[in-house]
Amino acid sequence: MQVIKLKSGRKIVFRQLKSVDFKKVYRWVKSIEKEDTFIMLNAAEPVSLKEEKQYFKELPKKIRQKKLVKIGVFDEEKYLGSCDIEKQGKRQGHVGLFGIVLSKECRGQGIGFKLAKETIKLAKEKMGIKQVVLNCFANNKAGINFYNKLGFKQNCRDPRSVFYRGKYIDTIWFYKDLR
Ligand SMILES: CC(C)(COP(=O)(O)OP(=O)(O)OC[C@H]1O[C@@H](n2cnc3c(N)ncnc32)[C@H](O)[C@@H]1OP(=O)(O)O)[C@@H](O)C(=O)NCCC(=O)NCCS
């Protein structure tokens, strides 16, 4: 567990998710689906309770097996989101797939930057990740600035690869070498 002090003086906590967090995380997933932000989660294709239970069940095993690092953000006990890096398979064992989402209320306060840095550091230390990759919606300006600030480089564009709010949108692959 890590206590993070923001510029505003607000303190939040980075820690691993526990099985007792399940209900609050599922409620949070529902609120993010409803927001319909620049990620795959959306209310038209909701995550079922069964799927979320399965995800939570597999989480400790994946972490133990060094296939995943995931850090949750909490304000007291309120869940605010997470960042994870999943190790890829076979010839891509040095590559980690990055994901991050925070609640709307806590964006733009430097939490995401600190959280991403910490998750990348852990992925390097615990899983030997040498390159982090991710796919960002091309219309996600905050996301693009965010990855540029973190030192990611843009790689290639997948044309019309997601259907978002009634339109086909390009996505951009980013990568960051950790060597
Ligand atoms: C993307 C996200 C994780 C960033 O986290 P955050 O805590 O809001 O970001 P930070 O406050 O740490 O900001 C870091 C940098 O990101 C960029 N950024 C963040 N919010 C931005 C905004 N609204 N507009 C433009 N740039 C923004 C800026 O470069 C910022 O650096 P600066 O403060 O020096 O200008 C968060 O906004 C989020 O959860 N968004 C919705 C889900 C999402 O888009 N996930 C990524 C999918 S690829």
Side-chain angles (χ1 to χ4, degrees), residues 19-35:
S19 49
V20 290
D21 298 321
F22 173 75
K23 273 190 187 153
K24 68 179 86 161
V25 173
Y26 190 59
R27 271 199 302 274
W28 176 89
V29 167
K30 294 293 120 186
S31 72
I32 294 291
E33 283 177 346
K34 209 166 151 198
E35 183 194 349

Side-chain angles (χ1 to χ4, degrees), residues 1-172:
M1 187 182 103
Q2 217 181 336
V3 179
I4 305 294
K5 198 171 173 190
L6 304 178
K7 278 186 202 142
S8 62
R10 182 181 178 193
K11 283 183 186 161
I12 50 151
V13 166
F14 289 172
R15 69 159 170 84
Q16 283 205 3
L17 300 186
K18 305 175 199 162
S19 49
V20 290
D21 298 321
F22 173 75
K23 273 190 187 153
K24 68 179 86 161
V25 173
Y26 190 59
R27 271 199 302 274
W28 176 89
V29 167
K30 294 293 120 186
S31 72
I32 294 291
E33 283 177 346
K34 209 166 151 198
E35 183 194 349
D36 203 14
T37 188
F38 305 102
I39 56 166
M40 294 302 172
L41 291 177
N42 70 91
E45 296 158 310
V47 175
S48 69
L49 192 61
K50 197 175 160 197
E51 284 168 327
E52 187 70 9
K53 274 191 180 150
Q54 187 61 24
Y55 179 79
F56 249 74
K57 199 175 151 196
E58 286 168 7
L59 198 60
K61 194 172 157 207
K62 279 191 174 178
I63 292 171
R64 240 187 357 259
Q65 292 177 339
K66 301 192 189 309
K67 289 181 176 164
L68 179 78
V69 295
K70 185 174 183 92
I71 304 178
V73 183
F74 293 82
D75 183 354
E76 300 287 333
E77 271 312 296
K78 186 171 182 192
Y79 181 66
L80 297 175
S82 69
C83 181
D84 54 42
I85 296 180
E86 183 151 20
K87 188 180 172 81
Q88 304 299 283
K90 304 215 186 309
R91 294 184 197 269
Q92 285 197 305
H94 62 296
V95 177
L97 183 63
F98 180 96
I100 186 166
V101 194
L102 295 172
S103 300
K104 203 172 181 178
E105 61 176 270
C106 73
R107 293 178 198 154
Q109 297 172 49
I111 298 174
F113 189 75
K114 284 191 160 69
L115 179 66
K117 284 264 194 197
E118 185 59 26
T119 311
I120 291 170
K121 185 172 155 255
L122 268 186
K124 191 177 175 182
E125 285 171 9
K126 294 204 182 284
M127 307 192 298
I129 294 300
K130 294 189 172 65
Q131 186 181 71
V132 182
V133 299
L134 65 97
N135 193 236
C136 179
F137 292 13
N139 58 347
N140 183 358
K141 292 208 175 80
I144 291 170
N145 287 345
F146 179 70
Y147 295 122
N148 285 334
K149 186 172 170 180
L150 279 164
F152 280 80
K153 294 199 170 81
Q154 292 192 22
N155 185 6
C156 59
R157 213 170 163 105
D158 280 349
R160 298 175 300 283
S161 54
V162 290
F163 189 68
Y164 178 64
R165 298 195 180 186
K167 283 187 190 153
Y168 290 100
I169 302 282
D170 296 358
T171 57
I172 303 168

